[in-house]
Amino acid sequence: RVLLLAAAAHAVEFGAVAAANALSDVYAMGAEPKFCLNLVGFPAQRLPLSALSEMLRGGRSVCAQRRRLCVCG
């Protein structure tokens, strides 16, 4: 519950951190990401959809900073 509240309160940052961690994992395996793909499981009954939109925006910003195309979302 606390994580959900934190995610909703700081949705852009939450999405950015998630994307940065995912990209870091790819680099750690010695690979070069070609694009970023959003796959989302979201508790729409517990959080507003606006939080999802903000999370995706945060993720897209990280992809743009690293010059990677963000598909889906």
Side-chain angles (χ1 to χ4, degrees):
R1 178 150 173 91
V2 173
L3 180 60
L4 288 177
L5 295 175
H10 306 284
V12 174
E13 294 87 355
F14 188 87
V17 167
N21 285 340
L23 284 170
S24 177
D25 289 347
V26 173
Y27 288 121
M29 291 185 286
E32 180 73 25
K34 302 296 182 193
F35 59 88
C36 300
L37 174 66
N38 285 332
L39 298 174
V40 179
F42 186 77
Q45 309 86 338
R46 297 172 71 185
L47 292 176
L49 287 177
S50 61
L52 173 59
S53 177
E54 294 297 301
M55 288 176 195
L56 294 175
R57 185 166 62 96
R60 281 192 307 269
S61 72
V62 169
C63 293
Q65 289 171 358
R66 292 179 174 73
R67 292 185 166 85
R68 297 292 175 252
L69 177 65
C70 184
V71 296
C72 284

